[in-house]
């Protein structure tokens, strides 16, 4: 029993892979956005649809055998409904606009989330649409008339770098789940995967430097530069009370232009470690410094990021680590 089920699943998986390769060879890489034409939509009966067809065939044989006109009329009525359902299932996908939405960077070892937006330019709603990949389908959603919906797809991110979602499907079984209409999409969506932070233990370098252009938590006649989480000892005058009232937690206002001291996270200061372990350790120091609101600079072979703080600076440094090529 288990062997036959595994063979069936293996056969279905090979069929899906073959159809995916065939669709990619036929259609190539899709533009972003993509307006889905009718010729790109494939449709087949589901298991329920096959059972429904067998039931109609049995009803037809019985009605003919007993010359029952009422049963014969019911059979033709149900068959007509099935044909209408096939038409509506196909139309439910035709003309929909597929475009990529933002995907947030993740750390290696976690699942990356890709966002796919479906836009409906027709005056009729599109029902029970879902987006699927090898990791499984998203939750089905209704795309309202002249509206849009965003679907989430998960993909494991085992290593740092650029993670590519090169294939996904748009699927619908509306109405009645008698037919499954789908299309293959090859859009090469990407997500930045940061290195996995090393375990805490190795202290950051003691080297500090004067960074007059960095952002500081001391307010003068300088420009507002952002906010960081509150730490014990911060002055209540610098707490962003409006943000706290909006239930965003205690945050401290930062201002730019004053002289502060900062750490310099240097690639060459981690001798004895291989490439990936160096990147993981740098990632740990960056995360700790950002969480504590400390300014830091980053030095990599061929790249120097000046000292600064804030979410934009953190993202720039972590992206440099993710895309680093020795």
């Amino acid at each position: 029993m288990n062997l036959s089920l595994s063979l069936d699943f293996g056969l279905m998986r090979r069929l899906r892979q073959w159809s995916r390769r065939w669709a990619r060879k036929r259609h190539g890489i899709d533009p972003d956005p993509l307006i889905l034409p009718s010729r790109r939509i494939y449709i087949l009966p589901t298991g329920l649809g096959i059972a429904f067809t067998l039931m109609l065939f049995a009803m037809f044989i019985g009605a003919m055998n007993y010359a029952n006109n009422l049963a014969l009329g019911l059979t033709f009525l149900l068959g007509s409904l099935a044909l209408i359902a096939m038409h509506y299932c196909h139309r439910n996908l035709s003309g929909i606009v597929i475009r990529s939405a933002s995907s947030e960077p993740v750390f290696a070892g976690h699942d990356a989330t890709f966002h796919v937006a479906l836009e409906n330019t027709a005056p009729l709603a599109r029902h029970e649409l879902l987006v699927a990949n090898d990791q499984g389908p998203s939750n089905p959603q209704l795309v309202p008339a002249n509206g849009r919906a965003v679907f989430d797809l998960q993909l494991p991110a085992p290593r740092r770098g650029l993670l590519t979602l090169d294939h996904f499907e748009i699927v619908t079984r509306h109405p009645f789940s008698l037919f499954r209409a789908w299309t293959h999409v090859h859009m090469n969506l990407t997500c930045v995967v940061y290195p996995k932070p090393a375990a805490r233990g190795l202290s950051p370098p003691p080297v500090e430097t004067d960074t007059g252009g960095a952002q500081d938590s001391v307010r003068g006649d300088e420009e507002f530069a952002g906010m960081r989480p509150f730490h014990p000892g911060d002055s209540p005058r610098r707490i962003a009370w409006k943000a706290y009232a909006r239930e965003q937690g205690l945050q401290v206002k930062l201002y730019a232009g004053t002289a502060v001291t900062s750490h310099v996270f240097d690639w060459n200061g981690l001798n004895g470690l291989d490439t990936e372990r160096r990147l993981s350790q740098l990632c740990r120091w960056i995360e700790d410094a950002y969480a504590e609101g400390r300014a830091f600079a980053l030095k990599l072979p061929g790249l120097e990021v000046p000292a600064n703080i804030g979410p934009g600076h953190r993202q720039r440094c972590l992206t440099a680590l993710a895309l680093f090529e020795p």
Side-chain angles (χ1 to χ4, degrees), residues 35-39 41 89-97 120 122 126:
I35 301 177
L36 186 62
S38 297
R39 60 184 177 83
I41 303 172
C89 186
H90 187 277
R91 187 206 62 83
N92 203 34
L93 287 183
S94 181
I96 202 144
V97 181
N120 180 18
R126 310 298 182 105

Side-chain angles (χ1 to χ4, degrees), residues 185-208:
V185 182
H186 300 90
M187 206 171 275
N188 283 352
L189 309 183
T190 58
C191 175
V192 177
V193 181
Y194 299 148
K196 182 179 180 180
R200 289 185 174 89
L202 185 60
S203 300
V207 180
E208 295 184 342

Side-chain angles (χ1 to χ4, degrees), residues 30-301:
D30 293 311
D32 184 9
L34 168 68
I35 301 177
L36 186 62
S38 297
R39 60 184 177 83
R40 290 282 301 271
I41 303 172
Y42 309 97
I43 186 169
L44 285 174
T46 62
L48 179 61
I50 294 175
F52 187 79
T53 302
L54 294 176
M55 183 195 70
L56 289 181
F57 181 74
M59 290 176 61
F60 177 76
I61 295 299
M64 291 292 292
N65 185 50
Y66 292 100
N68 190 325
N69 291 333
L70 184 61
L72 198 60
L74 178 61
T75 303
F76 287 133
L77 176 62
L78 294 177
S80 301
L81 289 176
L83 292 177
I84 293 173
M86 180 177 66
H87 168 75
Y88 270 87
C89 186
H90 187 277
R91 187 206 62 83
N92 203 34
L93 287 183
S94 181
I96 202 144
V97 181
I98 307 167
R99 69 172 72 243
S100 63
S102 60
S103 58
E104 295 80 13
V106 296
F107 291 98
H110 294 77
D111 287 341
T113 300
F114 292 86
H115 305 295
V116 178
L118 300 185
E119 298 178 358
N120 180 18
T121 58
L124 298 176
R126 310 298 182 105
H127 299 268
E128 298 180 22
L129 300 185
L130 59 88
V131 182
N133 66 346
D134 291 337
Q135 304 304 311
S138 65
N139 294 324
Q141 296 188 51
L142 179 144
V143 184
N146 299 310
R148 73 195 299 262
V150 178
F151 299 77
D152 297 338
L153 283 177
Q154 304 293 325
L155 193 64
R159 61 185 62 88
R160 69 175 180 89
L162 279 180
L163 180 65
T164 301
L165 177 66
D166 60 353
H167 169 267
F168 58 91
E169 298 177 2
I170 312 296
V171 184
T172 185
R173 290 183 174 87
H174 177 81
F176 309 140
S177 296
L178 297 178
F179 295 90
R180 180 182 187 268
W182 77 97
T183 185
H184 296 280
V185 182
H186 300 90
M187 206 171 275
N188 283 352
L189 309 183
T190 58
C191 175
V192 177
V193 181
Y194 299 148
K196 182 179 180 180
R200 289 185 174 89
L202 185 60
S203 300
V207 180
E208 295 184 342
T209 183
D210 186 9
T211 57
Q215 299 169 355
D216 189 29
S217 57
V218 180
R219 180 171 183 175
D221 297 326
E222 312 299 337
E223 296 182 356
F224 175 72
M227 292 187 291
R228 65 163 173 83
F230 173 83
H231 299 294
D234 288 333
S235 172
R237 292 180 299 175
R238 290 189 276 111
I239 295 177
W241 294 109
K242 291 184 179 180
Y244 180 73
R246 293 193 294 267
E247 298 183 354
Q248 297 178 359
L250 281 176
Q251 301 188 57
V252 176
K253 297 179 181 179
L254 303 175
Y255 294 85
T258 53
V260 297
T261 57
S262 69
H263 293 280
V264 177
F265 301 145
D266 193 346
W267 169 274
N268 295 322
L270 292 170
N271 294 325
L273 301 180
D274 59 25
T275 298
E276 297 305 322
R277 292 177 63 190
R278 289 192 192 194
L279 295 175
S280 295
Q281 187 59 58
L282 292 172
C283 181
R284 165 54 59 195
W285 286 342
I286 290 173
E287 285 295 277
D288 290 346
Y290 172 74
E292 297 173 8
R294 291 183 280 114
F296 59 90
L298 177 65
K299 289 186 177 181
L300 296 174

Side-chain angles (χ1 to χ4, degrees), residues 17-38:
Q17 291 173 351
W18 176 85
S19 65
R20 183 189 308 173
R21 289 193 299 267
W22 176 82
R24 186 182 183 95
K25 183 177 180 181
R26 181 184 182 189
H27 304 299
I29 302 299
D30 293 311
D32 184 9
L34 168 68
I35 301 177
L36 186 62
S38 297

